Amino acid sequence: AQSVAQPEDQVNVAEGNPLTVKCTYSVSGNPYLFWYVQYPNRGLQFLLKYITGDNLVKGSYGFEAEFNKSQTSFHLKKPSALVSDSALYFCAVRDPIGGNNRLAFGKGNQVVVIP
Amino acid sequence: GAVVSQHPSWVICKSGTSVKIECRSLDFQATTMFWYRQFPKQSLMLMATSNEGSKATYEQGVEKDKFLINHASLTLSTLTVTSAHPEDSSFYICSARDPRGGHNQPQHFGDGTRLSIL
């Protein structure tokens, strides 16, 4: 079964500094990887995905993520964080072969951008 | 882009009441929708997979008689929390994947329903 680990509970970063949110995954085949963001009392908004191709994926709001197969990681990055980036971030993986369309989510990371 | 609408956003009701939550795909047809439950500051827990025209598939530990799911059309799935009690208070979120574009499309989420049982 597929699974995702987000090792940190909270990430604090000063506004304007680079932001990194870590994610590692486990899946039997080639993974489909996703990042979502959640604001308070809202559903999840899709940020970006990796399916195949270039390891560096660019998404919404200036976010990008790098797929690293050898390290089974898919860390989310933003070169310069904004206060409005403060939210809960979820990494998710889907096994396209054996995962029956289900997404496995990490526990989430609270990002706090300090003005 | 693909949009999923969830209604209502907030529900406050007395213990013993049954509550229905609707999830609609607005610009695509979804043969499969997913229902999640989220506790404060925690991840999403998949409750069940809703299948259009057939029975829902429930995750282990989720009571199917407590959480009734109906997926009668390609754009609407409903979750009914029957005889709700305070321990059912939670944030419920639905999602659906737009089948157009193939299997690599992301799931799109509704805005969630905050359920508070008094």
Side-chain angles (χ1 to χ4, degrees):
Chain A
Q2 63 266 38
S3 66
V4 169
Q6 293 181 247
E8 301 159 313
D9 288 331
Q10 182 164 314
V11 175
N12 296 325
V13 62
E15 185 177 24
N17 281 5
L19 169 64
T20 298
V21 189
K22 295 180 180 177
C23 170
T24 58
Y25 66 89
S26 174
V27 68
S28 56
N30 293 320
Y32 288 178
L33 292 157
F34 305 86
W35 273 102
Y36 289 87
V37 60
Q38 184 181 32
Y39 295 96
N41 292 309
R42 300 295 298 274
L44 276 63
Q45 294 180 35
F46 169 70
L47 282 179
L48 50 79
K49 66 180 180 182
Y50 171 82
I51 304 299
T52 186
D54 289 341
N55 289 342
L56 185 63
V57 178
K58 294 187 182 297
S60 306
Y61 313 118
F63 283 94
E64 59 187 30
E66 186 166 11
F67 172 65
N68 187 316
K69 188 172 184 177
S70 63
Q71 297 184 4
T72 62
S73 68
F74 189 55
H75 301 332
L76 181 70
K77 299 179 181 181
K78 186 170 183 178
S80 178
L82 301 173
V83 173
S84 57
D85 293 329
S86 298
L88 193 55
Y89 290 80
F90 290 99
C91 182
V93 66
R94 180 156 67 88
D95 180 350
I97 304 300
N100 60 25
N101 277 328
R102 285 195 274 177
L103 278 178
F105 286 91
K107 65 178 182 178
N109 284 126
Q110 183 68 49
V111 169
V112 178
V113 181
I114 304 164
Chain B
V3 176
V4 173
S5 173
Q6 189 172 340
H7 177 81
S9 302
W10 291 81
V11 179
I12 301 174
C13 58
K14 294 180 179 179
S15 185
T17 306
S18 291
V19 178
K20 180 185 284 188
I21 303 170
E22 293 186 348
C23 182
R24 294 181 185 274
S25 56
L26 295 187
D27 56 352
F28 65 97
Q29 294 181 332
T31 55
T32 302
M33 292 185 177
F34 302 91
W35 286 97
Y36 296 87
R37 184 172 180 176
Q38 186 181 28
F39 292 100
K41 299 188 183 298
Q42 293 190 25
S43 189
L44 280 70
M45 180 191 77
L46 179 64
M47 298 174 65
T49 302
S50 173
N51 304 300
E52 188 270 334
S54 65
K55 292 182 180 179
T57 305
Y58 289 82
E59 295 300 301
Q60 191 173 8
V62 178
E63 298 176 60
K64 61 180 180 181
D65 295 330
K66 174 74 171 177
F67 299 100
L68 299 178
I69 291 174
N70 184 284
H71 194 153
S73 79
L74 286 170
T75 59
L76 173 64
S77 174
T78 60
L79 169 68
T80 300
V81 184
T82 62
S83 187
H85 291 284
E87 59 266 28
D88 299 322
S89 299
S90 192
F91 193 56
Y92 294 87
I93 310 175
C94 71
S95 74
R97 188 171 59 84
D98 187 344
R100 298 171 297 183
H103 292 288
N104 60 9
Q105 295 304 305
Q107 285 186 21
H108 297 277
F109 289 80
D111 270 345
T113 298
R114 173 72 60 194
L115 176 61
S116 296
I117 308 298
L118 305 177

